[in-house]
Amino acid sequence: MKILIFPDTEQAEAFVALEVAALVSKRPTAVLGLATGGTMERVYGRLVACALDQDIAFTQVRSFNLDEYWGVAPDHPASYTHYMNKRLFQPLDMHQALTQLPNGIAADADVEAARYEAAISAVGGIDLQLLGLGANGHIGFNEPTSSLGSRTRIKTLTQTTRNANRRYFDKAQDVPRFALTMGIATILEARAVLLLATGAAKSRAAAQMIEGPLSAFCPASALQLHPKATIVLDADAARELTLRDYFEEVHPHGARASVPPAHRT
Ligand code: PGA
């Protein structure tokens, strides 16, 4: 795992936005795995500004979002489809046919989950998967104790997650109880993953993900198995790391590691 700790939140968000912009600039037909949530809102704002400023075309990009609420129609203001259309797809003129989310109002959840997995495979898999981190250690909606071998499926949301997402719905009872989410194994198949966690509320989960045991109790710890996982934190999210000094020595202020030429001793 590459652990990048930035002194402030804005720098951490900017790094993630620039990584995505750089990938698409180099490979205009990239397949992106996308995330939602409060953390990504600001990343997408920066990404749109950067892409428009530098004339980076997103019109051939394909994307697959991690998850969608079950029973929430795409045009509902709290749906992730609505979130993505508003914050990324429309501002960057991305093609509707190339941008996919699980269908939260499909007739059959299992059939929809299988269709989604097949659609990802059909385009050759995901080049870069963006991830947020739940305060309970979830990635996507893979709640604690999700199988590390799981694939796209319907999951029951924990009360912690429902409370965290309460703000997007009018009434507490409107917060969905279920979601369709990529599984841990689906996420691990992406060729690279880039997780962003900011704020003190994420510090415990961040420490468990990076330094804790590989455990379904902290689903994000599965990223320890990924050969190309980059974890981007701000100072607050990094504060419970035992090896923080080491990570900051390797990547001061999130900079790339510099290894001097070998010399014989
Ligand atoms: P947040 O959600 O960015 O709204 O904190 C992250 C997540 O739950 O994955």
Side-chain angles (χ1 to χ4, degrees):
M1 279 175 149
K2 187 193 279 187
I3 315 298
L4 305 180
I5 303 171
F6 289 86
D8 61 58
T9 313
E10 289 72 26
Q11 287 175 52
E13 292 163 354
F15 177 88
V16 173
L18 291 179
E19 284 290 292
V20 178
L23 170 64
V24 174
S25 171
K26 199 170 79 188
R27 199 179 316 151
T29 56
V31 181
L32 301 179
L34 298 173
T36 50
T39 314
M40 289 300 155
E41 263 174 51
R42 293 179 296 277
V43 171
Y44 293 149
R46 285 178 181 276
L47 178 57
V48 168
C50 169
L52 296 180
D53 187 51
Q54 296 179 27
D55 237 353
I56 302 170
F58 273 65
T59 46
Q60 296 179 77
V61 167
R62 287 182 185 275
S63 70
F64 292 90
N65 266 76
L66 283 167
D67 43 25
E68 178 60 285
Y69 293 117
W70 182 243
V72 174
D75 60 356
H76 188 287
S79 76
Y80 286 158
T81 307
H82 184 268
Y83 172 116
M84 293 305 302
N85 283 336
K86 182 170 146 197
R87 298 183 197 286
L88 203 68
F89 301 158
Q90 281 164 4
L92 291 182
D93 211 11
M94 291 171 73
H95 275 278
Q96 211 183 335
L98 303 184
T99 58
Q100 293 214 39
L101 288 91
N103 178 5
I105 51 167
D108 183 304
D110 293 343
V111 172
E112 172 59 9
R115 180 200 70 79
Y116 203 64
E117 286 279 333
I120 296 171
S121 295
V123 301
I126 289 170
D127 292 315
L128 176 66
Q129 176 68 57
L130 286 187
L131 296 168
L133 177 66
N136 65 359
H138 74 202
I139 46 176
F141 273 133
N142 294 285
E143 301 285 39
T145 73
S146 285
S147 162
L148 301 184
S150 53
R151 315 234 37 128
T152 303
R153 71 221 181 283
I154 194 157
K155 278 295 289 181
T156 306
L157 304 180
T158 60
Q159 195 56 48
T160 318
T161 295
R162 296 181 71 213
N163 292 345
N165 292 342
R166 165 73 184 85
R167 64 189 191 278
Y168 298 111
F169 293 86
D170 289 341
K171 300 192 288 285
Q173 60 265 38
D174 292 346
V175 183
R177 291 190 55 229
F178 303 95
L180 279 167
T181 181
M182 283 186 201
I184 304 282
T186 321
I187 292 169
L188 291 179
E189 277 174 11
R191 284 181 277 283
V193 301
L194 181 58
L195 181 145
L196 172 64
T198 59
K202 304 290 173 70
S203 63
R204 196 162 146 261
Q208 287 176 343
M209 161 178 68
I210 296 164
E211 299 177 337
L214 174 63
S215 162
F217 197 62
C218 177
S221 68
L223 300 181
Q224 294 171 17
L225 293 169
H226 198 289
K228 212 163 170 235
T230 302
I231 311 294
V232 178
L233 305 174
D234 66 357
D236 283 339
R239 70 185 192 186
E240 293 190 49
L241 290 171
T242 306
L243 291 178
R244 178 174 178 169
D245 289 350
Y246 170 65
F247 301 136
E248 291 186 325
E249 182 195 329
V250 179
H251 299 286
H253 304 296
R256 295 200 188 282
S258 65
V259 180
H263 63 274
R264 290 167 193 268
T265 51

